[in-house]
Every structure is written in C-alpha cells, then in structure tokens.
C-alpha cells in the first residue's frame, strides 16, 4: 500500500494550558509532525439519547455538561459512554442525511514513563491541563472525550474528507499548548494520532478500530505523528 509523507511544522508561540496559571516563556516542541497517508480503504445508555440529540440540534459543546454522569471524573471531558452514544447519533445522521464525520484516536506518548519519572499526581495534572486546552480550543460542533487512561477520541462533523488533515493539525497544536509546571520547569507531552472519515459500510466499532490502527501506526513511525486516510 502506497504511503505519502509530509511534515507539518510545530506551532510557534505556546499558550499556557494549565488552569489557573498564566504568563512566562515556554519552549516549543522541537520534533515536527509527520503525516502518513494511507490507501482508502458499543453501547451507550438509553438515557443519553435525548441529551445527545439536544447537542446535535443546538450545537452546544458537550464538555460543558458537568456533574451528570456523562463526564470523566478526572478531566471533566465527555466519558466513553457519552462518546459511544454520540457516535451512534452521528451514524444515524450519516445514514439518513449523508452527513460526513470523522473520528480521531489519540494516545499520549510514553505516558507510563512520564508517570514513573514525575509521579502520578503530575500525570493527573497533565491530563487536566490537556483537557483545559481542549475545552477552550475545539469548535462547539466538535466533541473530544476521554476514552480511557491516556487515550482520547474526537468526533468531528466534516463537509469534505480532506477536512481530516486540518483537524488533525489543529489537534496537535492544541497538544503542544498543554503543559504543567513541575519543580519550576514546564513539562510537555506529545501524542500519536490516527484520524479517519466515515466510509460506506462502517459501524461504530469499525471506524474506531480503523482510527485506533492508524494511531498505532503513528507510534511505529516515531510517535508525535499523525496517520490518516488518503485524501484527494
């Protein structure tokens, strides 16, 4: 399978993403993002259906829902059950109205080593810092949630399949802007990312699996990397 590779540069000036702290100069990530293009190729609670439909109707940001059982306890982002339910709604829209959407699967690179070196409290603060950056960066129609551990899933309505590339690039810039202070030094993370657009015959399981496979391919390519569908 033919693959094409191109570089997307790191963002220059970094914003401080840890809640409650501001100011200071911070280093930017030196490693560029590599984009590798590939050939074209369950259940949420019933009680979530009404809430997800409301979100789709009024285009409100899911991450604003707090304290109702649909948010992740640590980060405040939508949790896995909520993402499962939303994904079913997106498929319903796709089949009835032919509305395209994309799924992004991201995993923090070397997070086990990060926790081992700086401690789990620092790891938790990093997850919260990333969530803080996410809730202030994504569009109201997009949803980014915590899938589990250091894994995150994004669900994005798109108009064209090529939209997955700027979405992934914006996501990586958001990651670059996430950091915490540890012993007076800023700590940063990188993520490996897979992103794919819905295809004919997809199911919620298949689209997540494809995005997950792309993410693992990004790990093999050196991490801090994006792997996505081939687009014209």
């Amino acid at each position: 399978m033919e693959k094409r590779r191109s570089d997307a540069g790191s963002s220059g000036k970094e914003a401080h993403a840890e809640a409650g702290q501001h100011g200071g100069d911070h280093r930017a990530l030196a490693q560029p993002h590599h984009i590798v293009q590939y050939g074209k190729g369950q259940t949420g609670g019933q009680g979530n259906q009404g809430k997800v439909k409301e979100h789709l109707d009024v285009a409100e940001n899911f991450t604003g829902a707090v304290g109702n059982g649909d948010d992740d306890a640590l980060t405040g982002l939508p949790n896995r059950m909520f993402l499962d339910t939303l994904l079913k709604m997106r498929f319903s829209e796709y089949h009835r109205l032919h509305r395209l959407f994309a799924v992004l699967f991201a995993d923090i690179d070397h997070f086990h080593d990060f926790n081992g070196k700086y401690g789990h409290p620092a790891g938790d603060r990093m997850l919260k810092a990333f969530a803080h950056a996410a809730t202030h960066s994504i569009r109201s129609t997009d949803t980014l949630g915590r899938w589990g551990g250091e894994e995150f899933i994004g669900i994005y309505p798109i108009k064209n399949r090529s939209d997955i590339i700027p979405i992934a690039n914006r996501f990586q810039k958001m990651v670059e802007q996430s950091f915490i202070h540890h012993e007076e030094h800023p700590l940063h993370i990188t993520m490996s990312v897979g992103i794919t657009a819905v295809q004919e015959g997809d199911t919620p399981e298949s689209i997540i699996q494809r995005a997950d496979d792309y993410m693992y391919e990004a790990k093999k390519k050196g991490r801090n990397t994006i792997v996505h569908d081939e687009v014209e």
Side-chain angles (χ1 to χ4, degrees):
M1 186 178 296
E2 182 182 358
K3 304 174 186 177
R4 290 179 292 175
R5 195 180 187 96
S6 63
D7 293 342
S10 299
S11 66
K13 185 177 180 181
E14 291 192 328
H16 193 176
E18 186 177 12
Q21 297 187 18
H22 302 278
D25 295 325
H26 308 284
R27 62 179 178 82
L29 293 174
Q31 183 179 354
H33 308 310
H34 302 292
I35 299 178
V36 184
Q37 295 185 336
Y38 268 66
K40 296 177 181 178
Q42 178 174 9
T43 62
Q46 186 69 24
N48 283 339
Q49 293 285 353
K51 182 180 302 176
V52 175
K53 186 176 186 304
E54 178 184 359
H55 164 76
L56 296 176
D57 290 342
V58 303
E60 291 181 348
N61 191 341
F62 276 131
T63 55
V66 176
N68 52 20
D70 296 317
D71 58 302
D72 174 67
L74 177 64
T75 64
L77 295 175
N79 62 21
R80 184 167 182 160
M81 181 178 292
F82 195 67
L83 293 169
D84 279 337
T85 306
L86 172 61
L87 193 55
K88 289 182 178 181
M89 295 297 295
R90 290 300 185 202
F91 266 102
S92 178
E93 286 192 323
Y94 173 65
H95 292 139
R96 291 184 296 105
L97 305 173
H98 307 290
R99 292 180 180 174
L100 295 175
F101 67 92
V103 170
L104 178 148
F105 201 114
D107 183 89
I108 301 176
D109 297 325
H110 301 298
F111 198 56
H112 177 78
D113 296 338
F114 183 99
N115 283 330
K117 184 174 183 179
Y118 302 110
H120 286 277
D124 288 349
R125 288 197 296 123
M126 180 60 77
L127 292 173
K128 291 178 181 179
F130 169 72
H132 179 78
T135 56
H136 288 78
S137 300
I138 62 174
R139 301 174 303 179
S140 62
T141 53
D142 301 336
T143 301
L144 180 67
R146 188 181 183 195
W147 193 243
E150 63 268 30
E151 295 178 336
F152 298 86
I153 279 186
I155 302 174
Y156 304 85
I158 57 175
K159 293 184 177 180
N160 303 292
R161 296 185 183 277
S162 59
D163 292 343
I164 63 176
I165 298 177
I167 287 172
N169 287 333
R170 287 196 302 268
F171 180 88
Q172 286 290 47
K173 289 182 179 179
M174 181 175 65
V175 175
E176 290 177 7
Q177 294 168 357
S178 305
F179 65 90
I180 62 171
H181 282 294
H182 182 77
E183 297 179 353
E184 300 183 356
H185 298 288
L187 300 180
H188 299 255
I189 55 172
T190 63
M191 289 196 190
S192 297
V193 175
I195 186 169
T196 184
V198 64
Q199 300 176 8
E200 194 67 33
D202 260 338
T203 64
E205 293 79 12
S206 70
I207 194 171
I208 288 177
Q209 185 62 58
R210 188 165 62 251
D212 188 24
D213 290 344
Y214 284 2
M215 183 275 292
Y216 275 105
E217 187 65 23
K219 296 281 189 186
K220 296 177 182 177
K221 294 295 179 182
R223 296 180 169 83
N224 193 22
T225 299
I226 302 165
V227 176
H228 58 75
D229 301 326
E230 180 179 344
V231 294
E232 298 178 357

